Amino acid sequence: MQFTDSHCHLDDAKFIEALPHLLDECAQASIERIIIPSVAPDNFNQVLTLSKHNSAKPIKLFAALGIHPWFLDNLSQSDLEQLTQLVRQEKSNIIAVGEIGIDGAISKRAANPEVNLQKQQHFFDYQLALAKQENLPVIIHHRQSHQYIVPQLKRHKLSKTGVIHGFSGSYQQAKDYIDLGFKLGIGSTITYSRAKKTINAIKRLPLDSLVLETDAPSMPLSIEVLDQPQAHNSPLNLVKIFHCLTQIRDESQEQIAEQIELNINQVFFAE
Ligand SMILES: [Zn+2]
């Protein structure tokens, strides 16, 4: 069995120092590919640098470029225009636009919730249009925002689809994305036995709609599945998330692992 972490912030300072060792450990655990989304202009170059010169690394690293809804405060239209330039220039080095999206919890906490939500929607809308123009898939962040994201996706009718990363929600919310051709990123949420709604949805969804991810160093796993507490999440935990998924699903481990890799190929690595 081989695995791909479809969403990991490997450029994070927590990983950089021991990165060669971590990549060796990932390779030993059969994690063969890691997709690294960027979050803001600050980390575009780091993410691109990691994804280059793959032949010198034990596993393959891939980059996505995009602006995350948490980091819009000091950004403006010119940052979106620069992103467009960079996406065009680095087209052969990136596999998606991401991570982009809408976070309803962040806008509720903002000084002016309505203005914040409008800015998030503008950045999301612009980047969806960019993905369509450049024929790239997207990696989407959601939190309390399915009601904003689904209509935007319906309106844009992307040429490539993408992943709803860190999916949590009901069966019907999942179905809305699947009907639009999207895959759902399955991460640490399923390691918490209290996440009943999401677990029940993932049990019933078609296997060809799921991909695996850690979102490391964010999204810690439940202590229920760890041997000891961890300072932060790691791409190595992908295998633990996979084992949780195999307990939820009826298919064999091999069948699940194989189909998930096919799903990732279909979204990010199809011609
Ligand atoms: Zn992320």
Side-chain angles (χ1 to χ4, degrees):
M1 291 187 287
Q2 294 166 3
F3 302 102
T4 301
D5 188 347
S6 69
H7 194 115
C8 176
H9 298 282
L10 209 56
D11 61 301
D12 192 282
K14 295 180 185 77
F15 295 129
I16 289 308
E17 207 174 317
L19 192 61
H21 178 64
L22 177 61
L23 294 182
D24 279 333
E25 286 185 304
C26 286
Q28 279 159 26
S30 301
I31 299 163
E32 308 217 322
R33 301 184 289 194
I34 297 180
I35 297 174
I36 315 165
S38 62
V39 295
D42 285 352
N43 82 331
F44 288 167
N45 281 327
Q46 257 170 305
V47 166
L48 283 169
T49 304
L50 279 174
S51 72
K52 290 174 185 175
H53 313 296
N54 264 315
S55 56
K57 300 191 183 87
I59 64 176
K60 289 203 167 68
L61 306 179
F62 299 92
L65 287 178
I67 300 174
H68 188 294
W70 289 359
F71 304 102
L72 307 186
D73 278 356
N74 299 313
L75 302 186
S76 64
Q77 188 65 21
S78 66
D79 294 290
L80 287 169
E81 283 154 18
Q82 275 172 22
L83 170 67
T84 299
Q85 293 286 322
L86 194 62
V87 163
R88 290 189 180 141
Q89 187 187 316
E90 297 285 346
K91 189 81 181 278
S92 60
N93 295 311
I94 63 171
I95 59 162
V97 172
E99 115 176 54
I100 64 174
I102 298 179
D103 193 312
I106 290 287
S107 66
K108 276 176 208 149
R109 260 185 260 145
N112 189 331
E114 205 159 309
V115 169
N116 177 283
L117 183 62
Q118 271 170 17
K119 189 170 186 183
Q120 287 196 47
Q121 287 190 305
H122 173 67
F123 271 68
F124 186 49
D125 185 48
Y126 183 101
Q127 294 180 95
L128 289 175
L130 172 62
K132 187 169 180 177
Q133 260 166 35
E134 300 300 322
N135 197 30
L136 286 165
V138 289
I139 299 170
I140 296 181
H141 169 96
H142 75 83
R143 188 163 55 150
Q144 298 173 25
S145 58
H146 296 308
Q147 74 272 33
Y148 307 118
I149 292 174
V150 173
Q152 289 247 37
L153 295 179
K154 282 188 176 154
R155 198 162 56 76
H156 278 278
K157 297 188 175 62
L158 301 179
S159 42
K160 300 264 175 75
T161 61
V163 171
I164 306 302
H165 124 73
F167 177 76
S168 69
S170 67
Y171 177 78
Q172 189 50 52
Q173 283 161 339
K175 274 284 287 168
D176 289 345
Y177 293 115
I178 293 169
D179 290 346
L180 289 163
F182 279 77
K183 310 286 184 205
L184 306 174
I186 306 306
S188 67
T189 303
I190 64 165
T191 68
Y192 291 83
S193 54
R194 66 169 187 263
K196 293 200 172 62
K197 183 171 67 172
T198 302
I199 290 171
N200 282 331
I202 290 166
K203 202 188 200 68
R204 291 165 60 202
L205 292 168
L207 187 60
D208 66 8
S209 66
L210 309 180
V211 301
L212 285 169
E213 61 168 60
T214 63
D215 201 16
S218 308
M219 301 293 283
L221 273 63
S222 163
I223 192 71
E224 298 164 61
V225 301
L226 296 175
D227 311 322
Q228 53 191 19
Q230 296 179 338
H232 54 77
N233 195 357
S234 153
L236 285 168
N237 285 331
L238 192 74
V239 181
K240 289 197 168 69
I241 295 169
F242 169 71
H243 282 292
C244 285
L245 182 62
T246 63
Q247 281 160 17
I248 294 170
R249 302 285 309 190
D250 295 329
E251 300 91 343
S252 73
Q253 290 200 0
E254 289 73 17
Q255 229 179 326
I256 294 171
E258 193 179 326
Q259 185 60 50
I260 296 241
E261 287 295 282
L262 289 175
N263 300 343
I264 287 171
N265 291 343
Q266 194 194 336
V267 178
F268 294 113
F269 301 102
E271 286 302 300

